[in-house]
Amino acid sequence: MLPQTDEQPTPLSSHLEGLAARARDYAEAASSANTRRAYAADWRHFASWCRRQGLEDFRPDPQVVGLYITACASGAAAGDRKPNSVATIERRLSALNWAYAQRGTPLDRKDRHIATVLAGIRNSHGRPPVQKEAVLGEDLVVMLETLDRGTLRGLRDRAILLLGFAGGLRRSEIVSLDVGKDQTRDGRGWVEILEDGMLVNLRGKTGWREIEIGRGSADLTCPVIALQIWLSLGRIDHGPLFRRVTGQGKEAGPDRLTDQHVARLVKQCAMAAGIRGDLPEGERERRFAGHSLRAGLASSAEVDERYVQKHLGHASAEMTRRYQRRRDRFRVNLTKAAGL
C-alpha cells in the first residue's frame, strides 16, 4: 500500500476524468509489473517497521529513513530474520523514493542522514554480486531431453528454453511476448517468423530493440521450429505467446505465464539433467535461475564480443563481460606486453 495524501482532489469534468484515467494508465506503464510489486512490498515493509517504532510513514523524513536502512542492514527491520543485502537495501530505498514522489513529497536521498549511512553500509557489507550459473549450449541440449516431447506442456517448455537461450532474454521478457504486434495491453513485444529465422521486437529496459534469432543446425534444437510446433499444436494465433496449459494438459489456456515459471523450469531441468553434479544438491539448486539462459548465450557464443553486446542490448562491453562465465580472461596479457 502506497502513502496517501491528505489533500482533497480537485473535481474534474467527465472529459478530464477520462484523461486522468489515461494518465494513470501511462504512469503505470512507466514501470514493469515486477517493479511495481517489489516497490509495493518494500513500502509495506517500511510502513510495518514505522508502526513498530511508533513513527509516521507519511512524511519523508531523511532521519527516519536513515534509521530504517540501518535496521535493514542489521537485520532488525520488520519481519527480517537476517540482515538485508546491500542490493536489497538500495532497492528498498528506491521504492521509498518512488512512493514519496508519487505522493508529491519527494525524499531527499542526498541528505546526510541517508547518503552517509548508505555509504557506510556499502563499505561495511558490500560484496561482489552473486552470479547464477550459466547454462551453456551443451548443457541446454541435455536439459531439453528431460522434457516430454509427447505433451503440450513439454513442447511449450522446450520453446521457452530455446527462445530464451537463443534470444539472450530475461525471464520477464520471455513471458511478456505476444504472437503479433499490439495484441494485448500487458504485452511488451512480439515475434515475427521469417524464412531464415525470427525477429523478436522487444520493449526492454532501454527502449525498443530488435533481436535476430537464426534457425538452428538441427530441428531438435532449433528455436524457430520449437516455437512453430508450440503455436501450431497449442492452436495459438493471437495474444500471449506462452500460456498455461489446461484441459488435463491438452489445451493452451488464455492466461499468460508468469516469469516465475521460467525460473522454476530452468532450475528443474538443470537438476534433472545433472548439470554441475559436482556440487551438493542444495547448492546446485541455488545456482540456476532464469538468468542462466541469458548468461549461457553470452558464455557460449564464439563470436566477436560486440555482436553479443548488441544481441543482449547492453550499453557497454563491460556489462557483457559480466555475463561471460566462460571466456579467455587472459587473452590480452598486459604484463607481457609491458615487457615483464
Side-chain angles (χ1 to χ4, degrees):
M1 182 177 180
L2 297 180
Q4 302 296 317
T5 177
D6 295 329
E7 297 178 3
Q8 295 298 319
T10 303
L12 300 176
S13 66
S14 58
H15 172 67
L16 292 179
E17 280 287 0
L19 291 177
R22 180 62 62 87
R24 286 192 291 270
D25 289 341
Y26 284 142
E28 186 172 297
S31 56
S32 70
N34 286 340
T35 298
R36 292 194 298 274
R37 281 195 296 268
Y39 280 3
D42 287 334
W43 176 262
R44 290 193 298 270
H45 187 269
F46 173 63
S48 177
W49 178 82
C50 286
R51 286 194 299 271
R52 293 187 181 196
Q53 313 308 315
L55 299 171
E56 297 175 338
D57 59 28
F58 56 80
R59 189 166 54 89
D61 187 334
Q63 187 171 5
V64 170
V65 173
L67 293 173
Y68 167 67
I69 62 176
T70 300
C72 290
S74 61
D80 291 341
R81 296 181 179 179
K82 60 182 181 179
N84 292 174
S85 67
V86 174
T88 297
I89 292 171
E90 290 180 333
R91 191 204 65 222
R92 293 196 193 282
L93 190 54
S94 295
L96 299 187
N97 189 60
W98 181 85
Y100 280 123
Q102 301 308 302
R103 187 175 182 263
T105 54
L107 176 68
D108 183 7
R109 288 187 58 167
K110 294 182 180 179
D111 185 280
R112 63 185 180 85
H113 292 99
I114 298 176
T116 306
V117 171
L118 184 59
I121 290 173
R122 287 186 181 128
N123 289 338
S124 301
H125 303 291
R127 296 183 180 87
V130 178
Q131 296 182 319
K132 294 298 182 181
E133 192 82 16
V135 168
L136 304 178
E138 56 264 34
D139 297 329
L140 186 64
V141 172
V142 181
M143 289 167 59
L144 291 172
E145 291 303 312
T146 69
L147 297 171
D148 187 352
R149 294 200 298 270
T151 67
L152 191 58
R153 185 174 285 106
L155 293 172
R156 177 200 64 192
D157 289 345
R158 288 178 63 85
I160 288 175
L161 291 179
L162 284 165
L163 178 63
F165 180 89
L169 303 178
R170 300 174 179 87
R171 64 183 191 179
S172 59
E173 294 171 340
I174 296 171
V175 299
S176 69
L177 292 172
D178 288 342
V179 178
K181 184 179 180 181
D182 298 331
Q183 292 185 344
T184 66
R185 292 189 62 183
D186 60 339
R188 301 182 69 84
W190 70 95
V191 297
E192 297 177 54
I193 297 178
L194 307 173
E195 182 178 350
D196 295 327
M198 82 174 105
L199 295 179
V200 176
N201 300 275
L202 185 69
R203 185 170 73 240
K205 291 184 176 181
T206 57
W208 283 99
R209 61 192 180 99
E210 187 179 80
I211 303 168
E212 299 175 1
I213 299 179
R215 292 181 179 270
S217 56
D219 288 355
L220 286 178
T221 57
C222 176
V224 182
I225 292 178
L227 184 61
Q228 288 177 313
I229 292 174
W230 156 245
L231 293 177
S232 175
L233 297 184
R235 298 177 182 177
I236 301 170
D237 57 12
H238 189 277
L241 191 64
F242 293 116
R243 311 160 178 219
R244 297 181 183 278
V245 173
T246 61
Q248 297 181 339
K250 297 181 180 179
E251 299 176 6
D255 297 331
R256 187 187 302 275
L257 286 177
T258 66
D259 60 345
Q260 286 88 351
H261 175 82
V262 179
R264 288 193 299 268
L265 175 63
V266 172
K267 193 182 298 287
Q268 290 168 1
C269 289
M271 296 292 288
I275 310 301
R276 288 305 309 268
D278 57 308
L279 298 174
E281 184 170 336
E283 177 65 18
R284 286 177 60 213
E285 191 171 8
R286 288 191 293 271
R287 287 287 189 97
F288 293 96
H291 231 59
S292 296
L293 298 176
R294 188 168 164 84
L297 177 75
S299 303
S300 302
E302 299 291 341
V303 296
D304 191 300
E305 192 175 75
R306 58 182 172 172
Y307 295 114
V308 180
Q309 178 183 341
K310 178 178 180 295
H311 198 80
L312 298 183
H314 288 154
S316 68
E318 179 58 34
M319 177 59 73
T320 301
R321 294 188 190 106
R322 295 181 190 179
Y323 282 76
Q324 293 172 320
R325 311 288 196 265
R326 185 185 69 177
R327 61 185 175 88
D328 185 359
R329 296 179 180 274
F330 301 102
R331 180 172 57 84
V332 178
N333 189 328
L334 293 182
T335 306
K336 289 183 179 179
L340 298 180

